[in-house]
Amino acid sequence: LVLKSYCVSNMKTSGSSRSRSSSNFSDKKRERLLSIQRREQLKGLLLTKFKARYGKKASEETIDREVSKFVSDGQINEESIRKLNRKIRDAQSISRSKPNANRSARSTSA
């Protein structure tokens, strides 16, 4: 009788530990999904912000690439956002200076 009650209580305990572990798994999965959702929202906000700020000055391709790389790297804080802004701004100024360099090369060769 004692052994039977021990087995029954043990089965209840192991069952509840399974539900706790599955609940824990669900919590981890939910947190992971929420984290992905937050990153995608941040990515959308950053793309909108930088495209509005730099528009045609920087290619949208460059902005998309840099923002995607930024969001996937994992270090998201104010300083890293400032660095991203500088990267896109620098890419914009480089792309702006290239046509001028090509024009001056053409005018000197003519």
Side-chain angles (χ1 to χ4, degrees), residues 57-103:
K57 298 174 188 172
S59 77
E60 288 190 12
E61 213 172 80
T62 303
I63 295 172
D64 288 340
R65 183 182 61 246
E66 291 299 331
V67 169
S68 293
K69 193 180 348 174
F70 170 79
V71 171
S72 67
D73 284 346
Q75 287 294 327
I76 299 174
N77 54 43
E78 286 184 42
E79 181 58 31
S80 61
I81 291 174
R82 280 190 220 107
K83 286 179 184 178
L84 175 64
N85 186 38
R86 284 192 296 267
K87 263 186 176 180
I88 294 172
R89 186 188 63 221
D90 292 348
Q92 167 245 336
S93 62
I94 289 170
S95 68
R96 213 187 320 168
S97 67
K98 280 183 181 178
N100 294 338
N102 290 338
R103 278 188 222 137

Side-chain angles (χ1 to χ4, degrees), residues 31-66:
E31 282 301 314
R32 183 173 172 268
L33 292 173
L34 287 172
S35 175
I36 291 169
Q37 184 180 26
R38 285 190 299 267
R39 286 183 180 275
E40 288 301 313
Q41 286 175 340
L42 176 63
K43 182 179 177 181
L45 288 170
L46 291 172
L47 285 170
T48 302
K49 173 186 173 181
F50 290 124
K51 286 178 182 180
R53 179 177 288 169
Y54 297 111
K56 299 293 180 185
K57 298 174 188 172
S59 77
E60 288 190 12
E61 213 172 80
T62 303
I63 295 172
D64 288 340
R65 183 182 61 246
E66 291 299 331

